[in-house]
Amino acid sequence: MNNSTSHPCVITVFGAGGDLTHRKIVPAIYNLFLEGTLPESFALLGVDRLDMSDQQFRDHLRDGVDQFSRRGPTQSDQWSAFAARLGYLAADFHDAAAFQRLAALLATRDKAFAAPTEHVFYLATPPTMIEPIVRQLCGAKLLADAAQTRFVVEKPFGRDLASATELNGILTALVAERQIYRIDHYMGKETVQNILAFRFANSIFEPIWNRRYIDHVQITVAETVGVEHRGGYYDHSGAVRDMLQSHLLRVMTLVAMEPPVSFKADEVRNKTVDVLRAIRPIAREEIDRLAVRGQYGAGKLDTEDVVAYRSEPDVDRNSTTETYAAVKLLVDNWRWQDVPFYLRTGKRLKRRESEIVAQFRPVPHRSFPDSAVPWWQPNRLTIGIQPDESIELTFQAKKPGSVMELRPVDMRFSYREAFNVPVPEAYETLLLDVMRGDATLFMRADQVEIAWAVVQPILDQWAQQPPTEFPNYASGLWGPAAADKLLADDGRSWHEPVTAPAAALERPE
Ligand code: BG6
């Protein structure tokens, strides 16, 4: 949440030869460099098993920036200035001697910087490597200074409540909690952070942001991509572990939390934990009624034919892994009692669209005759997270003409139009926060565990009762029919996301 950092800083990336470093981490750091937000004294050291020279490592990273940076391909002079700060160490993560070499290398770099150096260790590795790497870092005394050293762990943090609790226990026995930065990249998205600004920097929304005015809330994270090249990971994960337990619950906590006293890390995190603790536990016998799973079959996305999940590379041909999940959650507190939160996420859906919809209650009494309101809709506030970053309020207005006829119209704020500046990538924001030691947007141990506790009954029940009807939605649709029924049973329906004003709701003339 901070804007710049001035302390010397060295980021050591484990898994430096991997996809995450190539696609996300280094393009983000390079953009920070171009913006001048990196400290003057900055270095990045890559660590991985492959044998590579510094120059080969730099070339590999440049290729990633050229392909994946939001700013497009690199320019030679700028890249050369950045590349001079990059180095590489080939090391086995289980080899204590390699960590001694790493410590010696980092000590030499520190001496070159005039002021005390902050050290960030980024574990861009599979989850199984977290414990061994942190143990080795501790063994080499690289995490001894709790004020100036910290490390970042990627999701998934554990694969269920028991494993996450165990991992937290191991890590917090080795280092201080404040040194652990559990990343969830959704928290770095501009529009996700804007939920806080929208709610707590304006006085007009908060008075109606409660059960008295809001009928229900929908949170949708829809993707058009399939599992891409990640079948090996995804087939042991699924939509609940991969998306619902992390990204969707994070977004929900920001929508539902109480106003924080300040934006200090623990103050905000305490408020989000309160939401998670207030979510009504789902009884196992209620799972079939309150949660829906799906797996995509073959289908068409736009004009492209795409294969079924079970035909994707590295996926079991009889896989029962869900690629879609929807759930109805209730929050037992004063603000939200009896207001359902419907969450849904899936791959290979009709459009890539993430949004939050707060559906308001209907007016208490309709003074207008039915003939004046052929297309009645209660007010709706839609926060577009991606790809269209926006806030839209839908309300009724009189249609011009000599007779009284009402139509829903939209009042719309678009990020792009209002600010006309490029929106930073989530990783840029989050990496800068880590360098500054600001943990507000990162998950604390208890946040992660409570989020697992919320979804654990679903995971248990689904594991015990394998689905018989998979695949149950064709690629290119909005998910399985049962997801529509989840809302229809409550007399509601999913809001179909619309991308641009031009695509505004088609209404009967
Ligand atoms: C990741 C999931 O955390 O988020 C992926 O592991 C998913 O499966 C991705 O595709 C979605 O992120 P974004 O930023 O593209 O919405």
Side-chain angles (χ1 to χ4, degrees):
M1 286 197 148
N2 289 305
N3 295 331
S4 65
T5 173
S6 54
H7 298 289
C9 182
V10 178
I11 300 188
T12 303
V13 183
F14 294 92
D19 209 41
L20 184 67
T21 310
H22 193 233
R23 277 173 182 255
K24 295 282 182 193
I25 299 174
V26 171
I29 293 178
Y30 184 58
N31 285 342
L32 293 175
F33 169 76
L34 293 182
E35 268 159 25
T37 34
L38 286 185
E40 193 57 33
S41 303
F42 172 84
L44 184 146
L45 183 67
V47 185
D48 215 327
R49 287 220 273 212
L50 308 164
D51 255 332
M52 252 195 285
S53 67
D54 282 350
Q55 191 51 46
Q56 283 169 321
F57 181 56
R58 290 171 187 153
D59 292 345
H60 169 69
L61 297 185
R62 184 172 187 176
D63 169 69
V65 175
D66 284 341
Q67 281 187 62
F68 301 112
S69 169
R70 66 179 167 85
R71 289 171 178 269
T74 49
Q75 288 177 21
S76 287
D77 50 339
Q78 291 172 329
W79 176 259
S80 305
F82 179 71
R85 296 152 188 264
L86 307 176
Y88 183 76
L89 175 71
D92 180 335
F93 301 154
H94 293 283
D95 176 11
F99 280 77
Q100 293 301 336
R101 287 202 302 281
L102 171 65
L105 200 62
L106 292 177
T108 316
R109 301 244 164 167
D110 286 2
K111 278 202 194 119
F113 296 153
T117 305
E118 308 272 332
H119 280 280
V120 173
F121 298 94
Y122 202 118
L123 277 56
T125 55
T128 47
M129 294 315 299
I130 298 173
E131 184 188 341
I133 293 175
V134 175
R135 283 195 188 282
Q136 295 286 4
L137 287 171
C138 290
K141 307 238 175 322
L142 284 166
L143 288 170
D145 180 346
Q148 288 201 294
T149 63
R150 53 202 78 110
F151 64 89
V152 182
V153 265
E154 275 288 335
K155 66 167 266 282
F157 192 89
R159 55 173 282 107
D160 54 17
L161 177 58
S163 56
T165 310
E166 190 190 343
L167 185 55
N168 275 330
I170 292 168
L171 297 182
T172 50
L174 292 168
V175 295
E177 169 65 30
R178 70 181 161 121
Q179 292 176 276
I180 311 172
Y181 282 63
R182 300 172 189 81
I183 203 166
D184 180 323
H185 78 280
Y186 265 58
M187 294 297 281
K189 288 186 191 273
E190 284 288 318
T191 21
V192 172
Q193 289 177 56
N194 193 43
I195 300 168
L196 296 175
F198 169 78
R199 290 193 54 204
F200 304 130
N202 297 296
S203 60
I204 59 170
F205 304 113
E206 209 42 30
I208 55 169
W209 206 250
N210 56 50
R211 65 190 302 273
R212 204 160 158 210
Y213 296 96
I214 294 185
D215 175 76
H216 72 278
V217 177
Q218 301 181 11
I219 300 175
T220 297
V221 177
E223 299 186 275
T224 48
V225 289
V227 283
E228 301 174 286
H229 53 285
R230 295 162 72 228
Y233 148 75
Y234 195 89
D235 210 30
H236 296 101
S237 176
V240 171
R241 289 189 169 90
D242 186 52
M243 298 291 286
L244 194 72
Q245 182 273 344
S246 48
H247 307 326
L248 278 89
L249 283 183
R250 302 282 164 260
V251 173
M252 176 178 165
T253 57
L254 299 184
V255 172
M257 72 190 263
E258 293 303 316
V261 174
S262 71
F263 279 97
K264 292 214 168 91
D266 272 335
E267 172 62 18
V268 174
R269 299 198 289 185
N270 289 344
K271 293 289 191 281
T272 64
V273 165
D274 284 347
V275 175
L276 293 170
R277 286 182 337 146
I279 294 177
R280 188 179 301 171
I282 308 182
R284 288 278 287 268
E285 58 280 8
E286 292 222 287
I287 304 282
D288 289 348
R289 196 171 62 76
L290 300 177
V292 171
R293 58 184 152 172
Q295 187 190 76
Y296 62 82
K300 244 189 196 337
L301 271 155
D302 291 328
T303 51
E304 188 200 346
D305 288 322
V306 294
V307 299
Y309 174 71
R310 288 177 176 173
S311 306
E312 299 275 18
D314 302 324
V315 168
D316 187 329
R317 295 294 159 248
N318 298 309
S319 174
T320 54
T321 300
E322 80 284 354
T323 60
Y324 178 99
V327 62
K328 172 182 172 182
L329 297 174
L330 290 162
V331 181
D332 285 331
N333 65 17
W334 275 52
R335 188 191 283 265
W336 296 116
Q337 194 66 41
D338 299 329
V339 177
F341 283 73
Y342 300 100
L343 278 50
R344 65 172 168 168
T345 183
K347 293 200 182 286
R348 286 283 189 236
L349 299 185
K350 191 167 179 179
R351 275 203 300 276
R352 176 175 182 254
E353 201 93 42
S354 300
E355 64 168 32
I356 301 157
V357 174
Q359 179 78 58
F360 288 86
R361 290 189 186 283
V363 292
H365 168 66
R366 290 192 191 185
S367 324
F368 297 96
D370 283 351
S371 59
V373 198
W375 190 251
W376 186 273
Q377 283 181 3
N379 297 120
R380 188 179 60 231
L381 187 106
T382 308
I383 303 179
I385 296 175
Q386 62 189 19
D388 196 25
E389 292 127 337
S390 59
I391 298 180
E392 189 173 289
L393 182 66
T394 309
F395 56 95
Q396 302 290 330
K398 182 183 175 304
K399 187 181 170 198
S402 53
V403 292
M404 174 57 82
E405 198 176 318
L406 306 183
R407 287 294 160 91
V409 292
D410 303 325
M411 212 157 70
R412 195 161 197 285
F413 152 75
S414 152
Y415 250 72
R416 274 167 235 269
E417 287 161 25
F419 294 111
N420 200 20
V421 289
V423 175
E425 289 268 350
Y427 273 91
E428 293 171 35
T429 308
L430 295 172
L431 279 159
L432 201 55
D433 280 359
V434 184
M435 287 188 252
R436 292 287 309 249
D438 181 348
T440 314
L441 299 176
F442 294 81
M443 303 307 118
R444 217 169 46 188
D446 54 343
Q447 275 173 297
V448 173
E449 288 176 22
I450 302 173
W452 276 118
V454 169
V455 301
Q456 192 62 51
I458 305 177
L459 294 173
D460 292 342
Q461 179 68 7
W462 286 359
Q464 208 184 336
Q465 264 185 7
T468 49
E469 74 289 11
F470 277 6
N472 61 350
Y473 68 98
S475 292
L477 301 184
W478 278 114
D484 293 336
K485 188 170 177 305
L486 179 73
L487 269 71
D489 285 350
D490 293 345
R492 302 181 173 111
S493 60
W494 292 106
H495 175 239
E496 172 143 359
V498 275
T499 312
L505 291 171
E506 279 173 27
R507 292 166 193 132
E509 269 308 310

Short mmCIF file of all heavy atoms in Angstrom, two decimals, residues 329-373:
data_model
loop_
_atom_site.label_atom_id
_atom_site.label_comp_id
_atom_site.label_asym_id
_atom_site.label_seq_id
_atom_site.Cartn_x
_atom_site.Cartn_y
_atom_site.Cartn_z
N LEU A 329 -23.00 -18.58 1.16
CA LEU A 329 -22.50 -18.41 2.53
C LEU A 329 -23.34 -17.38 3.26
O LEU A 329 -23.81 -16.40 2.66
CB LEU A 329 -21.04 -17.94 2.51
CG LEU A 329 -20.02 -18.90 1.87
CD1 LEU A 329 -18.66 -18.25 1.78
CD2 LEU A 329 -19.93 -20.20 2.68
N LEU A 330 -23.50 -17.59 4.55
CA LEU A 330 -24.20 -16.61 5.39
C LEU A 330 -23.24 -16.12 6.46
O LEU A 330 -22.37 -16.88 6.92
CB LEU A 330 -25.43 -17.24 6.03
CG LEU A 330 -26.54 -17.53 5.03
CD1 LEU A 330 -27.55 -18.52 5.58
CD2 LEU A 330 -27.24 -16.23 4.61
N VAL A 331 -23.38 -14.86 6.80
CA VAL A 331 -22.47 -14.26 7.78
C VAL A 331 -23.28 -13.92 9.02
O VAL A 331 -24.17 -13.07 8.97
CB VAL A 331 -21.82 -12.99 7.18
CG1 VAL A 331 -20.86 -12.36 8.18
CG2 VAL A 331 -21.11 -13.31 5.88
N ASP A 332 -22.95 -14.59 10.11
CA ASP A 332 -23.74 -14.38 11.33
C ASP A 332 -23.20 -13.21 12.14
O ASP A 332 -22.41 -13.38 13.07
CB ASP A 332 -23.72 -15.67 12.16
CG ASP A 332 -24.62 -16.74 11.56
OD1 ASP A 332 -25.62 -16.38 10.88
OD2 ASP A 332 -24.32 -17.93 11.73
N ASN A 333 -23.59 -12.01 11.75
CA ASN A 333 -23.29 -10.84 12.59
C ASN A 333 -24.39 -9.79 12.38
O ASN A 333 -25.32 -10.00 11.61
CB ASN A 333 -21.87 -10.30 12.32
CG ASN A 333 -21.69 -9.76 10.91
OD1 ASN A 333 -22.66 -9.48 10.20
ND2 ASN A 333 -20.44 -9.61 10.50
N TRP A 334 -24.29 -8.69 13.08
CA TRP A 334 -25.37 -7.70 13.03
C TRP A 334 -25.55 -7.12 11.65
O TRP A 334 -26.66 -6.85 11.21
CB TRP A 334 -25.05 -6.55 14.02
CG TRP A 334 -25.51 -6.87 15.41
CD1 TRP A 334 -25.22 -8.01 16.10
CD2 TRP A 334 -26.34 -6.07 16.24
NE1 TRP A 334 -25.81 -7.96 17.33
CE2 TRP A 334 -26.50 -6.77 17.45
CE3 TRP A 334 -26.94 -4.82 16.10
CZ2 TRP A 334 -27.26 -6.28 18.50
CZ3 TRP A 334 -27.69 -4.31 17.15
CH2 TRP A 334 -27.85 -5.05 18.33
N ARG A 335 -24.45 -6.90 10.97
CA ARG A 335 -24.55 -6.23 9.67
C ARG A 335 -25.17 -7.13 8.59
O ARG A 335 -25.93 -6.66 7.75
CB ARG A 335 -23.15 -5.79 9.22
CG ARG A 335 -23.16 -4.92 7.98
CD ARG A 335 -21.77 -4.72 7.42
NE ARG A 335 -20.98 -3.76 8.16
CZ ARG A 335 -20.85 -2.46 7.86
NH1 ARG A 335 -21.49 -1.97 6.82
NH2 ARG A 335 -20.10 -1.67 8.58
N TRP A 336 -24.83 -8.42 8.63
CA TRP A 336 -25.15 -9.26 7.47
C TRP A 336 -26.11 -10.42 7.75
O TRP A 336 -26.31 -11.25 6.86
CB TRP A 336 -23.85 -9.84 6.87
CG TRP A 336 -22.95 -8.79 6.32
CD1 TRP A 336 -21.70 -8.49 6.77
CD2 TRP A 336 -23.20 -7.90 5.22
NE1 TRP A 336 -21.17 -7.46 6.03
CE2 TRP A 336 -22.08 -7.09 5.06
CE3 TRP A 336 -24.29 -7.71 4.36
CZ2 TRP A 336 -21.98 -6.11 4.08
CZ3 TRP A 336 -24.20 -6.73 3.38
CH2 TRP A 336 -23.06 -5.95 3.25
N GLN A 337 -26.65 -10.49 8.93
CA GLN A 337 -27.52 -11.62 9.24
C GLN A 337 -28.56 -11.84 8.12
O GLN A 337 -29.24 -10.90 7.71
CB GLN A 337 -28.25 -11.35 10.57
CG GLN A 337 -28.92 -12.57 11.16
CD GLN A 337 -27.90 -13.61 11.58
OE1 GLN A 337 -26.87 -13.29 12.13
NE2 GLN A 337 -28.18 -14.86 11.29
N ASP A 338 -28.64 -13.08 7.63
CA ASP A 338 -29.62 -13.49 6.61
C ASP A 338 -29.39 -12.92 5.21
O ASP A 338 -30.24 -13.05 4.34
CB ASP A 338 -31.07 -13.15 7.02
CG ASP A 338 -31.45 -13.87 8.29
OD1 ASP A 338 -30.93 -14.97 8.51
OD2 ASP A 338 -32.23 -13.30 9.08
N VAL A 339 -28.26 -12.24 4.98
CA VAL A 339 -27.96 -11.76 3.62
C VAL A 339 -27.03 -12.80 2.97
O VAL A 339 -25.89 -12.94 3.36
CB VAL A 339 -27.23 -10.40 3.64
CG1 VAL A 339 -26.86 -9.96 2.22
CG2 VAL A 339 -28.08 -9.35 4.33
N PRO A 340 -27.52 -13.53 1.98
CA PRO A 340 -26.63 -14.53 1.36
C PRO A 340 -25.51 -13.90 0.54
O PRO A 340 -25.73 -12.88 -0.13
CB PRO A 340 -27.57 -15.32 0.44
CG PRO A 340 -28.94 -14.88 0.74
CD PRO A 340 -28.86 -13.53 1.40
N PHE A 341 -24.36 -14.49 0.62
CA PHE A 341 -23.23 -14.17 -0.27
C PHE A 341 -23.08 -15.38 -1.19
O PHE A 341 -22.80 -16.49 -0.72
CB PHE A 341 -21.94 -13.96 0.53
CG PHE A 341 -21.87 -12.62 1.21
CD1 PHE A 341 -22.64 -12.36 2.33
CD2 PHE A 341 -21.02 -11.62 0.74
CE1 PHE A 341 -22.59 -11.12 2.96
CE2 PHE A 341 -20.96 -10.39 1.36
CZ PHE A 341 -21.74 -10.13 2.47
N TYR A 342 -23.31 -15.18 -2.46
CA TYR A 342 -23.15 -16.27 -3.44
C TYR A 342 -21.81 -16.08 -4.13
O TYR A 342 -21.56 -15.04 -4.75
CB TYR A 342 -24.26 -16.22 -4.47
CG TYR A 342 -25.65 -16.37 -3.92
CD1 TYR A 342 -26.47 -15.25 -3.72
CD2 TYR A 342 -26.18 -17.62 -3.60
CE1 TYR A 342 -27.75 -15.37 -3.22
CE2 TYR A 342 -27.47 -17.75 -3.10
CZ TYR A 342 -28.24 -16.62 -2.91
OH TYR A 342 -29.52 -16.74 -2.41
N LEU A 343 -20.96 -17.09 -4.04
CA LEU A 343 -19.63 -17.01 -4.65
C LEU A 343 -19.54 -18.04 -5.76
O LEU A 343 -19.99 -19.19 -5.57
CB LEU A 343 -18.55 -17.32 -3.60
CG LEU A 343 -18.07 -16.21 -2.65
CD1 LEU A 343 -19.22 -15.48 -1.97
CD2 LEU A 343 -17.13 -16.78 -1.59
N ARG A 344 -18.99 -17.67 -6.88
CA ARG A 344 -18.82 -18.68 -7.95
C ARG A 344 -17.53 -18.41 -8.71
O ARG A 344 -17.13 -17.25 -8.88
CB ARG A 344 -20.00 -18.70 -8.93
CG ARG A 344 -20.15 -17.44 -9.71
CD ARG A 344 -21.21 -17.57 -10.81
NE ARG A 344 -21.51 -16.26 -11.34
CZ ARG A 344 -22.21 -16.03 -12.44
NH1 ARG A 344 -22.71 -17.02 -13.14
NH2 ARG A 344 -22.45 -14.79 -12.86
N THR A 345 -16.91 -19.46 -9.13
CA THR A 345 -15.70 -19.33 -9.94
C THR A 345 -15.58 -20.55 -10.84
O THR A 345 -16.00 -21.65 -10.47
CB THR A 345 -14.44 -19.20 -9.06
OG1 THR A 345 -13.30 -19.01 -9.92
CG2 THR A 345 -14.19 -20.43 -8.20
N GLY A 346 -15.01 -20.36 -12.01
CA GLY A 346 -14.85 -21.52 -12.88
C GLY A 346 -13.93 -21.22 -14.04
O GLY A 346 -13.69 -20.05 -14.38
N LYS A 347 -13.45 -22.28 -14.62
CA LYS A 347 -12.61 -22.16 -15.81
C LYS A 347 -13.44 -22.51 -17.04
O LYS A 347 -14.44 -23.21 -16.94
CB LYS A 347 -11.40 -23.10 -15.69
CG LYS A 347 -10.44 -22.66 -14.57
CD LYS A 347 -9.08 -23.24 -14.74
CE LYS A 347 -8.14 -22.86 -13.62
NZ LYS A 347 -7.68 -21.46 -13.69
N ARG A 348 -12.95 -22.00 -18.17
CA ARG A 348 -13.63 -22.23 -19.45
C ARG A 348 -15.08 -21.73 -19.42
O ARG A 348 -15.98 -22.38 -19.97
CB ARG A 348 -13.61 -23.71 -19.83
CG ARG A 348 -12.25 -24.18 -20.31
CD ARG A 348 -12.00 -23.75 -21.73
NE ARG A 348 -10.82 -24.36 -22.29
CZ ARG A 348 -9.79 -23.67 -22.81
NH1 ARG A 348 -9.79 -22.34 -22.78
NH2 ARG A 348 -8.77 -24.29 -23.34
N LEU A 349 -15.31 -20.60 -18.77
CA LEU A 349 -16.64 -20.02 -18.77
C LEU A 349 -16.76 -19.05 -19.95
O LEU A 349 -15.80 -18.83 -20.69
CB LEU A 349 -16.93 -19.32 -17.44
CG LEU A 349 -16.89 -20.25 -16.21
CD1 LEU A 349 -17.29 -19.50 -14.96
CD2 LEU A 349 -17.82 -21.46 -16.40
N LYS A 350 -17.93 -18.50 -20.08
CA LYS A 350 -18.26 -17.74 -21.29
C LYS A 350 -17.35 -16.54 -21.51
O LYS A 350 -16.93 -16.25 -22.61
CB LYS A 350 -19.71 -17.27 -21.19
CG LYS A 350 -20.27 -16.71 -22.43
CD LYS A 350 -21.77 -16.60 -22.26
CE LYS A 350 -22.42 -16.01 -23.48
NZ LYS A 350 -23.86 -15.93 -23.30
N ARG A 351 -17.08 -15.81 -20.43
CA ARG A 351 -16.22 -14.63 -20.55
C ARG A 351 -15.30 -14.52 -19.35
O ARG A 351 -15.62 -15.00 -18.26
CB ARG A 351 -17.09 -13.36 -20.60
CG ARG A 351 -17.57 -13.04 -21.98
CD ARG A 351 -17.91 -11.55 -22.11
NE ARG A 351 -18.95 -11.15 -21.18
CZ ARG A 351 -20.25 -11.30 -21.43
NH1 ARG A 351 -20.65 -11.86 -22.55
NH2 ARG A 351 -21.13 -10.89 -20.56
N ARG A 352 -14.15 -13.88 -19.55
CA ARG A 352 -13.27 -13.60 -18.41
C ARG A 352 -13.83 -12.35 -17.73
O ARG A 352 -13.78 -11.26 -18.29
CB ARG A 352 -11.84 -13.34 -18.89
CG ARG A 352 -10.92 -12.94 -17.76
CD ARG A 352 -9.49 -12.80 -18.23
NE ARG A 352 -8.63 -12.48 -17.11
CZ ARG A 352 -8.10 -11.27 -16.90
NH1 ARG A 352 -8.32 -10.30 -17.74
NH2 ARG A 352 -7.34 -11.07 -15.86
N GLU A 353 -14.35 -12.55 -16.57
CA GLU A 353 -15.05 -11.45 -15.93
C GLU A 353 -15.06 -11.69 -14.42
O GLU A 353 -15.48 -12.74 -13.96
CB GLU A 353 -16.49 -11.44 -16.44
CG GLU A 353 -17.20 -10.16 -16.30
CD GLU A 353 -17.08 -9.30 -17.55
OE1 GLU A 353 -17.19 -9.83 -18.68
OE2 GLU A 353 -16.86 -8.11 -17.40
N SER A 354 -14.57 -10.72 -13.67
CA SER A 354 -14.67 -10.83 -12.22
C SER A 354 -15.42 -9.62 -11.71
O SER A 354 -15.07 -8.49 -12.07
CB SER A 354 -13.28 -10.85 -11.58
OG SER A 354 -12.56 -11.93 -12.06
N GLU A 355 -16.40 -9.85 -10.89
CA GLU A 355 -17.18 -8.73 -10.40
C GLU A 355 -17.87 -9.05 -9.08
O GLU A 355 -18.05 -10.21 -8.72
CB GLU A 355 -18.23 -8.30 -11.44
CG GLU A 355 -19.27 -9.38 -11.68
CD GLU A 355 -20.48 -8.91 -12.48
OE1 GLU A 355 -20.32 -8.01 -13.32
OE2 GLU A 355 -21.57 -9.45 -12.25
N ILE A 356 -18.22 -7.96 -8.40
CA ILE A 356 -19.01 -8.09 -7.17
C ILE A 356 -20.32 -7.38 -7.43
O ILE A 356 -20.32 -6.25 -7.94
CB ILE A 356 -18.29 -7.35 -6.02
CG1 ILE A 356 -16.90 -7.92 -5.80
CG2 ILE A 356 -19.13 -7.39 -4.74
CD1 ILE A 356 -15.97 -6.93 -5.13
N VAL A 357 -21.40 -8.03 -7.11
CA VAL A 357 -22.71 -7.39 -7.29
C VAL A 357 -23.41 -7.31 -5.94
O VAL A 357 -23.59 -8.33 -5.28
CB VAL A 357 -23.60 -8.22 -8.26
CG1 VAL A 357 -25.00 -7.63 -8.32
CG2 VAL A 357 -22.98 -8.25 -9.65
N ALA A 358 -23.74 -6.09 -5.54
CA ALA A 358 -24.58 -5.93 -4.34
C ALA A 358 -25.98 -5.63 -4.85
O ALA A 358 -26.21 -4.61 -5.50
CB ALA A 358 -24.07 -4.79 -3.48
N GLN A 359 -26.87 -6.56 -4.60
CA GLN A 359 -28.25 -6.40 -5.08
C GLN A 359 -29.06 -5.82 -3.93
O GLN A 359 -29.12 -6.42 -2.85
CB GLN A 359 -28.78 -7.78 -5.48
CG GLN A 359 -30.20 -7.80 -5.97
CD GLN A 359 -30.30 -7.31 -7.41
OE1 GLN A 359 -29.68 -7.87 -8.30
NE2 GLN A 359 -31.08 -6.27 -7.60
N PHE A 360 -29.67 -4.65 -4.14
CA PHE A 360 -30.42 -4.00 -3.06
C PHE A 360 -31.84 -4.56 -3.00
O PHE A 360 -32.32 -5.19 -3.93
CB PHE A 360 -30.42 -2.49 -3.28
CG PHE A 360 -29.07 -1.90 -3.00
CD1 PHE A 360 -28.10 -1.85 -3.98
CD2 PHE A 360 -28.74 -1.44 -1.73
CE1 PHE A 360 -26.83 -1.35 -3.72
CE2 PHE A 360 -27.48 -0.95 -1.45
CZ PHE A 360 -26.52 -0.90 -2.45
N ARG A 361 -32.47 -4.30 -1.88
CA ARG A 361 -33.85 -4.78 -1.70
C ARG A 361 -34.78 -3.97 -2.60
O ARG A 361 -34.49 -2.82 -2.92
CB ARG A 361 -34.28 -4.58 -0.25
CG ARG A 361 -33.57 -5.51 0.70
CD ARG A 361 -34.21 -5.42 2.08
NE ARG A 361 -33.44 -6.20 3.01
CZ ARG A 361 -33.47 -7.53 3.09
NH1 ARG A 361 -34.26 -8.22 2.30
NH2 ARG A 361 -32.73 -8.16 3.97
N PRO A 362 -35.92 -4.57 -2.96
CA PRO A 362 -36.88 -3.79 -3.76
C PRO A 362 -37.46 -2.66 -2.92
O PRO A 362 -37.38 -2.69 -1.69
CB PRO A 362 -37.95 -4.82 -4.11
CG PRO A 362 -37.63 -6.06 -3.38
CD PRO A 362 -36.34 -5.93 -2.68
N VAL A 363 -38.05 -1.69 -3.59
CA VAL A 363 -38.72 -0.61 -2.84
C VAL A 363 -39.84 -1.22 -1.99
O VAL A 363 -40.44 -2.23 -2.40
CB VAL A 363 -39.30 0.47 -3.79
CG1 VAL A 363 -38.19 1.23 -4.46
CG2 VAL A 363 -40.23 -0.15 -4.83
N PRO A 364 -40.14 -0.63 -0.84
CA PRO A 364 -41.14 -1.24 0.03
C PRO A 364 -42.55 -1.22 -0.56
O PRO A 364 -43.37 -2.10 -0.30
CB PRO A 364 -41.08 -0.41 1.31
CG PRO A 364 -40.27 0.79 1.00
CD PRO A 364 -39.49 0.53 -0.24
N HIS A 365 -42.81 -0.24 -1.42
CA HIS A 365 -44.14 -0.15 -2.02
C HIS A 365 -44.01 0.41 -3.44
O HIS A 365 -43.36 1.43 -3.63
CB HIS A 365 -45.03 0.77 -1.17
CG HIS A 365 -46.31 1.13 -1.87
ND1 HIS A 365 -47.27 0.19 -2.15
CD2 HIS A 365 -46.77 2.32 -2.34
CE1 HIS A 365 -48.27 0.78 -2.79
NE2 HIS A 365 -47.99 2.06 -2.91
N ARG A 366 -44.61 -0.25 -4.40
CA ARG A 366 -44.53 0.24 -5.78
C ARG A 366 -45.68 1.20 -6.07
O ARG A 366 -46.80 0.76 -6.29
CB ARG A 366 -44.61 -0.92 -6.75
CG ARG A 366 -43.40 -1.80 -6.73
CD ARG A 366 -43.49 -2.71 -7.92
NE ARG A 366 -42.50 -3.76 -7.85
CZ ARG A 366 -42.31 -4.64 -8.82
NH1 ARG A 366 -43.05 -4.59 -9.90
NH2 ARG A 366 -41.41 -5.56 -8.72
N SER A 367 -45.37 2.49 -6.06
CA SER A 367 -46.44 3.46 -6.31
C SER A 367 -46.84 3.45 -7.78
O SER A 367 -47.97 3.78 -8.13
CB SER A 367 -45.97 4.87 -5.97
OG SER A 367 -45.14 4.84 -4.86
N PHE A 368 -45.90 3.07 -8.64
CA PHE A 368 -46.19 3.11 -10.08
C PHE A 368 -47.00 1.89 -10.50
O PHE A 368 -46.77 0.78 -10.00
CB PHE A 368 -44.87 3.14 -10.86
CG PHE A 368 -44.04 4.36 -10.58
CD1 PHE A 368 -43.02 4.31 -9.63
CD2 PHE A 368 -44.30 5.56 -11.22
CE1 PHE A 368 -42.27 5.44 -9.35
CE2 PHE A 368 -43.54 6.69 -10.94
CZ PHE A 368 -42.53 6.63 -10.01
N PRO A 369 -47.92 2.08 -11.43
CA PRO A 369 -48.69 0.92 -11.90
C PRO A 369 -47.77 -0.05 -12.66
O PRO A 369 -46.75 0.39 -13.20
CB PRO A 369 -49.73 1.53 -12.84
CG PRO A 369 -49.15 2.85 -13.25
CD PRO A 369 -48.29 3.32 -12.12
N ASP A 370 -48.16 -1.30 -12.72
CA ASP A 370 -47.34 -2.29 -13.42
C ASP A 370 -47.06 -1.86 -14.86
O ASP A 370 -46.00 -2.12 -15.40
CB ASP A 370 -48.03 -3.65 -13.41
CG ASP A 370 -47.88 -4.32 -12.06
OD1 ASP A 370 -47.11 -3.78 -11.21
OD2 ASP A 370 -48.54 -5.35 -11.83
N SER A 371 -48.03 -1.18 -15.47
CA SER A 371 -47.86 -0.78 -16.87
C SER A 371 -46.71 0.22 -17.02
O SER A 371 -46.13 0.34 -18.10
CB SER A 371 -49.15 -0.16 -17.39
OG SER A 371 -49.48 0.96 -16.59
N ALA A 372 -46.38 0.94 -15.93
CA ALA A 372 -45.29 1.92 -16.02
C ALA A 372 -43.93 1.25 -15.85
O ALA A 372 -42.90 1.84 -16.12
CB ALA A 372 -45.46 2.99 -14.94
N VAL A 373 -43.96 0.02 -15.37
CA VAL A 373 -42.68 -0.63 -15.03
C VAL A 373 -42.61 -2.01 -15.68
O VAL A 373 -42.71 -3.02 -15.01
CB VAL A 373 -42.54 -0.77 -13.49
CG1 VAL A 373 -41.09 -1.02 -13.12
CG2 VAL A 373 -43.07 0.45 -12.77
#
